[in-house]
Amino acid sequence: MNVFCARNGQGRCRVVNSLKRIVLFVLGFVAVVGLGWFSLLIGFAEPELKGPSDADITALAQDAYVIVGDVPLMLPYVAMPDQISAGQFFSLDRRAVQEQWRKDRDAFRLAASSAKGAPVLERVAVRVETYGWDDFSAFAWKKICSQLTRKWSQSVCDDPWAPLQQALPRQRFYLADDRHLDAFQWHQTAGREIVADQLRAMDLQGVRASAVCDRELNARGRSCTAGVLISQHLMAVWSVWDSENERAEQQADREGRAIVAFVNYALGAEEDFEALLAVVCTVRRPGSGPSGIANTPADPCDV
């Protein structure tokens, strides 16, 4: 008999012991489920730990042709996160899910291999970052830079201080058809509001960005959804927030101008990199600029 039982009687002791068993059962169940999720995600990501092959790098550097909001676009697969990864998922038949995703991926790549057969999408996620840098397989990823076909992607591939990367949103943004805002019905903001509802509340006129913020503040201040109309039906959607250097509306305006220039001068049938630079050099995020580190690329905005 333990001390608690001796002092409080066997009845209360049985209650406490029962509660202990319930707590242990719940913790055990959570641990099993958690390990199941963990092993599922690790199992799916295991090939990635080995580093991409030369064939993988070549495939990621290839250009895809898509149509969004009646506008033909061309960008490399490495800039399209939703087209190169199945993301996180839960399924009791993991292999079947992976196989179906591969079939859908291959069908998409076949259709998007030429402008003539470009698939029509309600939205496409875009990520502009230093594609040639990776902590775990740096040598393999560096090979992608020489295979990218356009100057904008080459400019950011090996240079995290590239003006384009400092002007565009840090995270992914979406190019979307404004006639299909339901595509964002399952997207939530930091304040758990529905992105589609915030987009419908926007007053988008011309190429001026608009921002609709969550009703409740979070730890960082205001969190907002930004949108800008690029053409009649093509719009961009992304997240903005208040910071020490700029308000959410200022961030939306600055990044909106960068996105519009990016689409017009970099993703069309012909690239005009000089015209793109002329815009993004004026809308870098506050506090950004050249690295100041020796043997790094010169700042093209200083030319």
Side-chain angles (χ1 to χ4, degrees):
M1 181 181 297
N2 61 34
V3 175
F4 182 88
C5 294
R7 292 181 178 176
N8 299 280
Q10 293 297 320
R12 293 187 65 184
C13 183
R14 284 194 294 271
V15 172
V16 171
N17 287 335
S18 297
L19 290 174
K20 286 181 178 178
R21 285 193 290 270
I22 293 173
V23 170
L24 289 174
F25 173 79
V26 172
L27 290 176
F29 178 79
V30 171
V32 170
V33 174
L35 287 173
W37 272 90
F38 181 76
S39 61
L40 182 67
L41 298 180
I42 293 298
F44 185 75
E46 185 177 358
E48 188 69 20
L49 298 178
K50 300 175 183 177
S53 65
D54 288 347
D56 292 333
I57 291 296
T58 297
L60 290 170
Q62 289 179 346
D63 291 318
Y65 297 86
V66 298
I67 297 174
V68 183
D70 300 332
V71 177
L73 305 170
M74 186 188 86
L75 62 166
Y77 280 101
V78 73
M80 304 167 63
D82 289 349
Q83 305 302 330
I84 61 177
S85 172
Q88 297 182 0
F89 63 91
F90 177 78
S91 174
L92 297 178
D93 192 352
R94 181 165 57 91
R95 291 186 178 181
V97 172
Q98 291 179 10
E99 184 60 30
Q100 184 59 51
W101 179 80
R102 291 190 187 99
K103 290 180 180 178
D104 294 342
R105 176 201 62 188
D106 293 343
F108 178 85
R109 286 182 175 177
L110 180 63
S113 61
S114 68
K116 184 177 180 180
V120 177
L121 305 178
E122 293 180 355
R123 66 178 185 186
V124 60
V126 180
R127 182 176 58 199
V128 176
E129 62 181 11
T130 315
Y131 304 123
W133 284 25
D134 185 85
D135 292 337
F136 299 101
S137 50
F139 179 75
W141 280 102
K142 195 174 182 65
K143 296 178 183 178
I144 199 172
C145 297
S146 62
Q147 300 183 51
L148 295 170
T149 63
R150 294 211 160 174
K151 292 181 178 179
W152 75 260
S153 53
Q154 296 168 2
S155 74
V156 301
C157 190
D158 196 33
D159 183 10
W161 299 278
L164 179 61
Q165 193 170 170
Q166 293 180 340
L168 291 172
R170 295 178 185 271
Q171 302 170 339
R172 70 173 62 184
F173 59 93
Y174 292 90
L175 300 177
D177 190 324
D178 71 347
R179 295 166 294 190
H180 297 282
L181 297 183
D182 284 345
F184 295 95
Q185 191 64 36
W186 298 105
H187 288 234
Q188 288 190 343
T189 67
R192 298 187 179 277
E193 297 188 25
I194 304 301
V195 171
D197 294 340
Q198 293 188 342
L199 292 174
R200 295 187 185 98
M202 290 182 183
D203 181 22
L204 297 176
Q205 298 180 0
V207 292
R208 184 177 179 83
S210 177
V212 174
C213 301
D214 292 345
R215 290 182 291 273
E216 295 185 4
L217 298 179
N218 56 43
R220 300 175 60 180
R222 291 186 307 160
S223 179
C224 317
T225 296
V228 65
L229 196 62
I230 302 171
S231 65
Q232 183 176 2
H233 291 298
L234 178 64
M235 69 178 303
V237 178
W238 71 106
S239 297
V240 295
W241 51 86
D242 287 336
S243 68
E244 294 181 358
N245 296 318
E246 60 183 352
R247 292 173 55 83
E249 291 84 359
Q250 293 172 315
Q251 181 185 357
D253 177 70
R254 176 179 57 77
E255 292 178 342
R257 284 184 282 161
I259 293 173
V260 171
F262 178 59
V263 173
N264 289 336
Y265 297 130
L267 303 187
E270 301 291 337
E271 180 184 26
D272 190 342
F273 186 63
E274 297 303 321
L276 175 62
L277 268 183
V279 176
V280 299
C281 284
T282 66
V283 291
R284 284 169 150 175
R285 69 181 63 97
S288 64
S291 68
I293 302 174
N295 300 320
T296 56
D299 185 9
C301 295
D302 291 339
V303 176

